[in-house]
Amino acid sequence: MSRSEAAPDEIQDEPDEETFVGTGLNRVEDHRILTGRAEYIHDITPEACLSMGLLRTTHAHADIVDIDTSAAEDHPDCDLVLTGEDIAAEYNPMPCGLDSMSEWALARDTVRFVGEPVALVVADDRYVVEDLIDRIDVEYDTKEAITDPVTARQDETLVHEELGTNVPDKERLTFGDVDEAFEEADNVLENQYSWGRISGVPLETAGVVAEYDEEADSFDIDCNIQLHTLVDDTIYEPLGYDPDDVRLNVPPDVGGSYGTKIAIHRYCTLAAMASQQLDGRPVKYVEDRIENLQGGDMHCSDREYMMRLAYDDDGTIQGLDVNFVDDFGAYPHYPVNQALKPLSVVTNAYNIDPVRYNYELVLTNKTAQTAYRGFGVDPHLYALESVVDDAADDLGMEPYEFRQQNLIQPEQMPYKLPSKNIYDSGDFPGALARIKELVEDEERTEGGLLDPETVEQQREDGKYRGVSYTVHIEPGVSGADWTDRQRSDRDALADREMDDVDELPEHLRCEIEADGTVRTYLATDSSGQGHQTIVKQLLADQLEILPSDIEVDYLDSVEAPTEYGSAASRMAVMLSGATEGLGETVVDNLERLAARHWDVDRETVVYRDGGVEREDGTERLSRADLVEIDDETDGDRLTYAEYDYEFPVLDVEEFGEALTQKYPVYPTAAFAANAPIVEVDIETGEIEVLKFYSLRDCGTQLNPTIVEGQAHGGLAQGIGAALLEEFSYDQSGQPQAVTLFDYLLPSTKNIPEMHLEHTETPSPFTTTGAKGTGEGGMIDGPASIATAINRALEPFDITADRIPVTPDRIRKKLREE
């Protein structure tokens, strides 16, 4: 079948040119998922596999006086019990996000958060394991817990006494003369804003199946960890083995992540240790939902902001001063750099210079933070848009006009921020104007949601409606070099040069099989973004074949080189760049192979329609023919190819300062102009998003169907973050949301109709013009909803100064008015 004869359900929109890229090709991953053929970690149970469970503490802060495991060990069904002291005798602590700290996979002397594991038990059956866990007796000496990060900074109660402080890291970064800007501005506004803990709550909890090979003295670990080639050190270092001796396998299908499975190394190491202690018997562990919510290392940002804005009477913003305390819980894990990522969008879409950025990373007796979609940018945009809203109110200006006046103009692109990152392209004023025009035309007319008559009638019933127009940047394609800034000698960064910058390329390889199938191997794991589909589309265009002629598999952590992987809105750019480079390499290889076979000059052969032809048309070799020829030829195989796509702006001089100084480098600026319409019931405090308007731009859309899906899913997460979700704690450190009855998630009942438009301003920095789009919606949704609530409650002079905006908080504010 020729490309033009592709099945109609493979292509939803036929482009003007005959290409697969840019069409809504159905995701190839979906068929196996929807038909139940996808295999998850939970489905993997090798022969003779044992089950592992964990005894978790119920104390937020306590010294371990004694652990009596005898009753469990004496039970005939018990295969193994290990405590913190047991593993400390043979293994190493887990690395932390800061060099000054480490953490044991099982607590040794002190427990520091509810849910911290203190012992593991292995038996044939998980039900038996849970019974054996109940037989372990732990004696504790409880200590005072600290849960307020602002108070924790006073160091009166220490989470880690050996550190001598609850603030293991902080930094104040100043770009330009901030003090002068604030002194000379007509107005200075200072307000506080709070962002509560939320998470992705994946359908599939963390899971691992580990098996120790006694003969090879190595480990095979199947797990659903994210970034398996980047964070594998968090597993092989505690085990005390070299990277090549610890093989991580991540299946093609993972039931959700968005960062929340980056820090599941505790489970991987414990299962591997248990297997080694049991002479190589495979050991399996799967979190239950309470473990996941309570202490599964999957909570995200927990911040208290003090935002200061300097602006003149005419509405011109003159300076920004960002200050926040970031509650990292008991241990700073891998994502400590999410405190720095907002620097990549420090002024959002506004033309503001100068800027100060000050953060304090604080320890408390809560479960540790991990990464989550947005990686710290979402609370920053919320706090920034909130202070902009308050400044507009202070001036008596329409917030739309105040924002529009201060936006970066399209002629300023590429635009360098004070923090040295660069926005690649975009028309922010045009996007904001378009979304306002759309809402005004659709909803302020008769019968619309904002029809003045309807709005007034709803107010008589105690329901107040509002809409806010905002623009938000989604930074994409993070570099890797900056992510260890907090573990670097920051005083020495000024002397770094470009030769010192160490970025990670995206690796892709393929081989042509005997029947002509092109089998491609990804070095990065997937969390459901559609990587296999994107590779098929791009490579099909490059090789002039059908997507069905291409199969896409994954490499494990030993076979794959170390790379950043699937995070930070990277893969649309990095994977498309790698695929185009790989396609060019394959074409070159096959042309050389055919020329050698025919014993003709290379210039006389041409690759066309999936094979190689003589330029005069007299002979043609199919891909299968070329494999057969390659099999009979000595030397390097030319039907095998690999390609490494370098970080796209390593050679762009303007990024040099950010790269060498280890400031966050995100060279693509996808953006969204949002206008959610909300209704607040002043009697109950309940908030309903009636309709969500959004204009979105991620540069070149490689697959519009995937882009649309990412936007819908991201906005659903954003709505949940803004109105429903929160991991709260009481003063004693007890978590208040440990089931899905307590931790509320968005559903079809509270996700409104979404009206999405898409524009394309291709990136000049990337191979295909694509920008990242994997974190949108979650990044921009909460700020948009909060400012829309501000508009709805304008008559009461109430602002949404805490996320999530819950009914009880609204009622309290109304009572205080």
Side-chain angles (χ1 to χ4, degrees):
M1 182 171 63
S2 69
R3 296 176 58 191
S4 60
E5 297 171 333
D9 63 343
E10 286 190 334
I11 307 175
Q12 295 178 347
D13 300 301
E14 190 69 31
D16 293 335
E17 296 181 11
E18 193 177 333
T19 63
F20 290 105
V21 173
T23 65
L25 188 73
N26 288 337
R27 295 194 340 153
V28 299
E29 296 89 344
D30 291 346
H31 183 266
R32 64 175 181 266
I33 294 171
L34 295 174
T35 57
R37 298 177 183 177
E39 183 180 63
Y40 300 90
I41 289 297
H42 294 51
D43 299 319
I44 300 174
T45 307
E47 186 178 352
C49 187
L50 298 170
S51 181
M52 183 181 86
L54 299 173
L55 170 63
R56 296 175 181 267
T57 184
T58 58
H59 298 289
H61 199 192
D63 288 331
I64 299 173
V65 177
D66 182 63
I67 302 180
D68 184 356
T69 61
S70 57
E73 292 174 310
D74 291 343
H75 195 283
D77 293 333
C78 180
D79 287 286
L80 180 69
V81 177
L82 291 177
T83 66
E85 292 302 322
D86 294 328
I87 65 171
E90 297 188 44
Y91 302 101
N92 303 320
M94 304 183 296
C96 266
L98 299 175
D99 290 339
S100 60
M101 300 183 66
S102 62
E103 178 185 9
W104 288 96
L106 296 175
R108 292 181 64 191
D109 302 317
T110 304
V111 292
R112 295 182 169 88
F113 63 92
V114 173
E116 184 172 10
V118 296
L120 71 80
V121 176
V122 178
D124 281 337
D125 182 88
R126 180 64 179 262
Y127 291 99
V128 174
V129 166
E130 297 297 332
D131 290 339
L132 294 175
I133 286 173
D134 289 340
R135 289 172 171 258
I136 299 175
D137 183 35
V138 185
E139 181 183 349
Y140 293 102
D141 183 6
T142 58
K143 307 172 73 170
E144 183 181 356
I146 183 74
T147 59
D148 181 353
V150 175
T151 304
R153 297 181 304 163
Q154 300 171 11
D155 293 335
E156 293 178 359
T157 299
L158 294 174
V159 178
H160 295 266
E161 292 185 3
E162 67 277 12
L163 280 180
T165 181
N166 289 325
V167 188
D169 185 76
K170 59 183 177 180
E171 189 168 13
R172 179 185 293 264
L173 295 163
T174 302
F175 306 99
D177 196 336
V178 179
D179 291 336
E180 181 181 5
F182 274 78
E183 287 172 5
E184 295 184 356
D186 295 332
N187 307 280
V188 171
L189 187 142
E190 180 178 292
N191 271 341
Q192 292 179 298
Y193 309 97
S194 300
W195 178 278
R197 288 184 169 218
I198 55 172
S199 187
V201 192
L203 285 172
E204 178 194 37
T205 57
V208 56
V209 179
E211 188 167 0
Y212 173 67
D213 186 329
E214 287 188 292
E215 185 175 340
D217 192 21
S218 64
F219 297 87
D220 274 289
I221 301 175
D222 291 292
C223 59
N224 50 21
I225 199 168
Q226 190 173 336
L227 310 186
H228 71 299
T229 71
L230 183 68
V231 301
D232 56 343
D233 61 322
T234 62
I235 298 170
Y236 63 73
E237 286 184 9
L239 293 172
Y241 279 73
D242 293 331
D244 289 348
D245 296 324
V246 180
R247 184 182 299 271
L248 299 185
N249 304 287
V250 178
D253 299 305
V254 175
S257 179
Y258 288 108
T260 60
K261 290 174 182 167
I262 286 175
I264 65 170
H265 47 278
R266 181 194 309 274
Y267 305 141
C268 298
T269 57
L270 288 175
M273 292 171 186
S275 177
Q276 187 174 43
Q277 296 299 313
L278 292 165
D279 303 322
R281 287 279 300 275
V283 174
K284 180 174 182 176
Y285 172 75
V286 173
E287 275 184 327
D288 64 33
R289 183 58 66 185
I290 292 177
E291 289 178 304
N292 177 259
L293 295 174
Q294 179 192 67
D297 294 343
M298 49 86 75
H299 298 186
C300 196
S301 297
D302 186 349
R303 295 183 179 174
E304 297 294 331
Y305 277 92
M306 175 64 77
M307 302 290 286
R308 298 175 67 236
L309 197 68
Y311 49 97
D312 289 337
D313 290 337
D314 67 357
T316 303
I317 300 175
Q318 298 293 355
L320 174 65
D321 190 357
V322 179
N323 302 271
F324 66 94
V325 172
D326 208 347
D327 183 348
F328 267 71
Y331 293 93
H333 283 173
Y334 158 76
V336 292
N337 41 43
Q338 67 182 315
L340 289 167
K341 180 177 177 179
L343 282 169
S344 64
V345 289
V346 68
T347 61
N348 192 23
Y350 303 115
N351 184 20
I352 305 174
D353 192 7
V355 170
R356 181 183 290 124
Y357 188 87
N358 179 52
Y359 74 88
E360 293 176 276
L361 191 159
V362 178
L363 302 177
T364 63
N365 292 115
K366 300 176 184 175
T367 188
Q369 274 195 33
T370 192
Y372 175 47
R373 192 177 195 174
F375 205 55
V377 170
D378 35 355
H380 176 80
L381 294 187
Y382 155 70
L384 177 54
E385 290 302 328
S386 294
V387 76
V388 166
D389 240 22
D390 288 342
D393 181 64
D394 177 59
L395 290 175
M397 288 183 66
E398 279 291 326
Y400 170 83
E401 300 297 339
F402 186 64
R403 288 184 166 90
Q404 188 68 270
Q405 178 176 331
N406 287 285
L407 291 177
I408 298 163
Q409 300 300 305
E411 58 269 20
Q412 293 178 273
M413 296 293 183
Y415 175 85
K416 180 176 279 192
L417 283 78
S419 52
K420 315 309 175 186
N421 191 42
I422 297 173
Y423 293 161
D424 49 357
S425 62
D427 182 356
F428 308 150
L432 190 65
R434 169 57 187 159
I435 202 69
K436 184 175 188 293
E437 175 189 38
L438 185 61
V439 172
E440 296 289 317
D441 289 348
E442 294 288 333
E443 303 296 350
R444 289 205 190 273
T445 55
E446 184 177 355
L449 292 172
L450 298 174
D451 176 355
E453 186 174 322
T454 301
V455 169
E456 186 59 36
Q457 183 177 347
Q458 289 296 104
R459 285 191 175 187
E460 292 177 4
D461 294 332
K463 296 180 178 180
Y464 285 66
R465 292 184 178 182
V467 64
S468 176
Y469 306 105
T470 52
V471 178
H472 312 266
I473 310 301
E474 176 188 352
V477 202
S478 171
D481 186 72
W482 73 272
T483 57
D484 68 348
R485 178 183 176 89
Q486 287 133 323
R487 298 185 298 278
S488 304
D489 180 355
R490 280 169 271 197
D491 293 335
L493 294 179
D495 298 325
R496 290 184 91 223
E497 299 179 353
M498 281 302 298
D499 288 344
D500 300 316
V501 176
D502 185 19
E503 285 295 348
L504 296 171
E506 180 67 28
H507 178 81
L508 199 61
R509 67 178 69 165
C510 76
E511 58 184 352
I512 304 175
E513 299 180 336
D515 63 354
T517 297
V518 180
R519 187 165 296 276
T520 308
Y521 297 91
L522 288 165
T524 189
D525 46 66
S526 173
S527 303
Q529 298 93 330
H531 297 162
Q532 291 172 302
T533 303
I534 293 296
V535 169
K536 280 175 171 271
Q537 286 182 266
L538 286 155
L539 203 54
D541 283 344
Q542 290 288 103
L543 300 183
E544 301 177 22
I545 58 179
L546 290 172
S548 56
D549 294 325
I550 301 167
E551 296 295 332
V552 183
D553 292 328
Y554 292 84
L555 300 173
D556 62 41
S557 64
V558 173
E559 293 180 280
T562 298
E563 59 170 57
Y564 199 118
S566 176
S569 299
R570 299 180 82 253
M571 298 313 295
V573 170
M574 298 301 290
L575 201 54
S576 63
T579 305
E580 291 222 346
L582 180 67
E584 292 171 1
T585 303
V586 169
V587 169
D588 179 67
N589 281 3
L590 296 184
E591 288 179 345
R592 287 193 291 125
L593 179 60
R596 187 172 65 190
H597 174 71
W598 285 322
D599 194 22
V600 298
D601 290 339
R602 166 73 181 282
E603 291 73 20
T604 64
V605 302
V606 60
Y607 182 92
R608 182 182 294 123
D609 291 333
V612 181
E613 301 175 354
R614 295 281 292 270
E615 196 172 43
D616 59 11
T618 56
E619 292 184 86
R620 176 177 171 84
L621 295 171
S622 68
R623 296 189 306 282
D625 295 333
L626 290 163
V627 172
E628 185 176 352
I629 293 167
D630 205 17
D631 287 342
E632 298 171 355
T633 305
D634 294 331
D636 294 338
R637 289 190 62 81
L638 292 176
T639 52
Y640 170 90
E642 58 183 51
Y643 188 82
D644 291 309
Y645 177 64
E646 296 293 338
F647 189 60
V649 293
L650 273 178
D651 297 326
V652 178
E653 184 178 350
E654 290 78 5
F655 280 92
E657 188 174 3
L659 287 164
T660 58
Q661 298 300 297
K662 286 187 180 286
Y663 295 135
V665 176
Y666 286 75
T668 69
F671 60 94
N674 290 340
I677 301 173
V678 305
E679 182 174 84
V680 183
D681 187 326
I682 63 170
E683 297 298 324
T684 66
E686 291 179 306
I687 301 164
E688 182 180 1
V689 182
L690 302 176
K691 195 170 183 179
F692 205 119
Y693 284 85
S694 184
L695 183 149
R696 313 189 73 82
D697 190 312
C698 64
T700 302
Q701 294 188 68
L702 303 176
N703 185 315
T705 299
I706 291 178
V707 170
E708 186 85 354
Q710 291 276 18
H712 277 268
L715 286 171
Q717 288 178 316
I719 292 168
L723 303 178
L724 300 169
E725 305 177 39
E726 186 174 24
F727 288 105
S728 59
Y729 286 75
D730 67 16
Q731 291 185 345
S732 68
Q734 289 295 325
Q736 302 299 289
V738 296
T739 73
L740 293 181
F741 287 104
D742 312 306
Y743 189 86
L744 305 180
L745 290 170
S747 70
T748 54
K749 292 184 177 180
N750 41 40
I751 298 302
E753 177 187 351
M754 296 183 188
H755 184 116
L756 305 186
E757 286 194 3
H758 297 274
T759 60
E760 293 188 356
T761 52
S763 172
F765 299 139
T766 68
T767 299
T768 58
K771 302 179 182 182
T773 189
E775 295 177 310
M778 179 56 221
I779 278 180
D780 51 86
S784 302
I785 292 169
T787 56
I789 292 170
N790 292 346
R791 301 282 69 74
L793 295 178
E794 206 164 19
F796 303 95
D797 195 26
I798 288 175
T799 59
D801 57 4
R802 183 172 184 84
I803 292 288
V805 190
T806 55
D808 61 310
R809 289 169 180 157
I810 290 294
R811 290 196 305 271
K812 181 179 179 181
K813 284 181 174 292
L814 287 166
R815 286 196 301 268
E816 292 172 351
E817 281 301 309

